[in-house]
């Protein structure tokens, strides 16, 4: 189960591609069955994103869990 919140901080309007720049926060909880530790595992974190034309997003997040931290940089299409 996971939750993600995004908030636009400002818009860059131009004649080529309008951009939205914002911040995001996330929380995730899951249980790994059949492993050594069957406790519920949680992680949380935050990051920034740049969205173009409300269809394409570049993002960078940092997640923190009980075991370690994870930096993720990626992209996705918003449909």
């Amino acid at each position: 189960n996971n939750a993600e919140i995004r908030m636009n901080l400002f818009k860059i309007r131009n004649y080529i591609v309008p951009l939205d720049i914002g911040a995001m926060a996330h929380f995730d909880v899951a249980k790994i069955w059949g492993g050594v530790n069957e406790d519920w595992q949680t992680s949380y974190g935050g990051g920034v994103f740049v969205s173009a034309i409300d269809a394409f997003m570049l993002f960078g997040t940092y997640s923190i869990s009980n075991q370690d931290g994870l930096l993720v940089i990626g992209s996705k299409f918003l449909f």
Side-chain angles (χ1 to χ4, degrees), residues 17-18 20 50-58 75-79:
V17 178
D20 292 332
V50 177
S51 175
I53 319 172
D54 292 331
F56 180 74
M57 179 187 295
L58 295 172
S75 64
K76 60 182 164 181
F77 288 99
L78 305 172
F79 294 110

Side-chain angles (χ1 to χ4, degrees), residues 13 16 21 25-26 37 41 43 47 56 79:
R13 301 203 186 271
I16 301 169
I21 298 176
H26 62 85
N37 185 0
Q41 305 296 316
S43 70
F56 180 74
F79 294 110

Side-chain angles (χ1 to χ4, degrees), residues 11-19:
K11 297 179 182 274
I12 298 175
R13 301 203 186 271
N14 57 39
Y15 294 108
I16 301 169
V17 178
L19 300 172

Side-chain angles (χ1 to χ4, degrees), residues 16-38:
I16 301 169
V17 178
L19 300 172
D20 292 332
I21 298 176
M24 59 194 306
H26 62 85
F27 178 78
D28 186 33
V29 61
K31 187 167 188 166
I32 301 171
W33 299 97
V36 175
N37 185 0
E38 292 191 0

